[in-house]
Amino acid sequence: TVSYLLTFTENILSSEVASSHLSLLNAVAKIDTTSQKNKVAVAETAQAYCKRSWQTAQGKETGAKFNVHVEKFFSMSLEYAKDPMSKMTEIFDVGVPDVFENRGKEFSNTTYQTISRGTLGVLYQVSLMKLGNLVKKLTYGVTKDKDDLLEAWTKSTYLLQKIINPLKAWRNRAILKAVLKHSKPFIDHFLKHGMSLLENTFKRRSTDCIDVIKTLQSSTRYLQVICTSAKADNDIALAN
């Protein structure tokens, strides 16, 4: 059934139909939870939809409804990705920088054609939520491999920095709300589990521990700028 549903992928012309197709494909794939092949099929289809340019007779699809579909494409792509951290790193390396640099509202990335200034808020929300869920698995304990944990925290803080750094060039309300809301669980979990790990490995790997803190600090420093600005401007929505 999954193989049959995949035959429709190339012929779908509307993001709304693509979103429904992806939901149906996902529902069928979940029936057999042991099949890795089905998960790969959903991930690859979602990835294909992320990269496609969705056009209507009036031009490129935009707006709130389109953003809902884009959110589903990226969510499904990351949910079933073999290595979600690497996939997000690729997206923010390849799909994001030129969108921040180009001031045109209609401009979209050539690889991930669904990424534009209008959909960046959605991408930030999906990515930061996924990153937060991933780091929740990094719990410190005496039986855990400290080197593996340190490597995972290094990658996580580096990705958070990669996500937040472009905001120094351009940002909008949707992005700032997503960053403030979904960065907090990451930082809270780091303070609870990441700091315990660093305290117990600092003597042995001091340079690596300092690098993790420095990388995270570059992100939290900018979060502090956003908070200070929201307070100074009496911005109730961002303050909340």
Side-chain angles (χ1 to χ4, degrees):
T1 305
V2 169
S3 297
Y4 174 69
L5 288 172
L6 289 174
T7 63
F8 291 93
T9 305
E10 293 299 322
N11 302 314
I12 292 174
L13 304 177
S14 151
S15 66
E16 183 177 5
V17 178
S19 180
S20 298
H21 176 248
L22 194 58
S23 295
L24 178 58
L25 186 63
N26 184 46
V28 175
K30 281 185 174 178
I31 293 172
D32 182 5
T33 56
T34 62
S35 175
Q36 187 63 33
K37 184 180 178 182
N38 288 344
K39 293 178 181 179
V40 171
V42 176
E44 289 181 348
T45 303
Q47 180 81 344
Y49 290 156
C50 288
K51 293 183 174 182
R52 190 177 298 182
S53 177
W54 297 100
Q55 301 276 350
T56 66
Q58 290 74 39
K60 272 195 172 184
E61 290 191 43
T62 56
K65 286 186 177 180
F66 178 63
N67 283 3
V68 171
H69 304 323
V70 172
E71 181 178 357
K72 181 178 289 185
F73 299 159
F74 279 104
S75 294
M76 293 281 189
S77 173
L78 294 177
E79 181 179 349
Y80 293 116
K82 187 176 181 180
D83 185 348
M85 197 84 72
S86 295
K87 177 56 65 178
M88 282 188 281
T89 301
E90 179 203 319
I91 291 170
F92 278 88
D93 274 337
V94 176
V96 168
D98 58 349
V99 177
F100 274 98
E101 292 165 9
N102 193 295
R103 295 182 180 276
K105 287 184 178 180
E106 300 301 318
F107 179 84
S108 59
N109 180 259
T110 53
T111 303
Y112 289 90
Q113 296 189 61
T114 56
I115 300 180
S116 66
R117 288 198 170 190
T119 59
L120 276 174
V122 167
L123 177 62
Y124 266 73
Q125 179 172 311
V126 170
S127 300
L128 286 167
M129 283 180 67
K130 185 64 179 178
L131 180 58
N133 289 334
L134 288 173
V135 298
K136 283 180 183 176
K137 299 175 183 178
L138 305 179
T139 54
Y140 177 76
V142 292
T143 59
K144 298 290 183 71
D145 187 312
K146 296 181 179 63
D147 290 328
D148 284 349
L149 279 175
L150 184 59
E151 181 68 22
W153 275 115
T154 300
K155 289 181 179 178
S156 302
T157 52
Y158 173 72
L159 179 55
L160 183 67
Q161 182 190 50
K162 186 179 288 292
I163 291 172
I164 290 179
N165 265 353
L167 303 185
K168 297 170 185 177
W170 181 85
R171 62 263 171 200
N172 63 17
R173 174 60 60 86
I175 295 174
L176 292 180
K177 286 177 73 174
V179 167
L180 286 179
K181 182 176 181 180
H182 298 295
S183 294
K184 187 179 185 299
F186 182 106
I187 295 167
D188 287 345
H189 194 74
F190 178 83
L191 292 173
K192 185 175 181 180
H193 291 276
M195 286 303 293
S196 297
L197 172 69
L198 298 186
E199 287 170 2
N200 284 276
T201 56
F202 188 81
K203 286 184 179 180
R204 185 166 55 88
R205 298 185 61 178
S206 58
T207 303
D208 295 328
C209 292
I210 291 171
D211 284 344
V212 169
I213 295 175
K214 280 184 176 179
T215 304
L216 182 60
Q217 189 186 37
S218 70
S219 300
T220 56
R221 188 183 295 117
Y222 188 71
L223 291 173
Q224 182 63 41
V225 170
I226 300 173
C227 294
T228 304
S229 177
K231 186 177 179 181
D233 296 341
N234 199 25
D235 191 322
I236 304 300
L238 284 182
N240 287 340

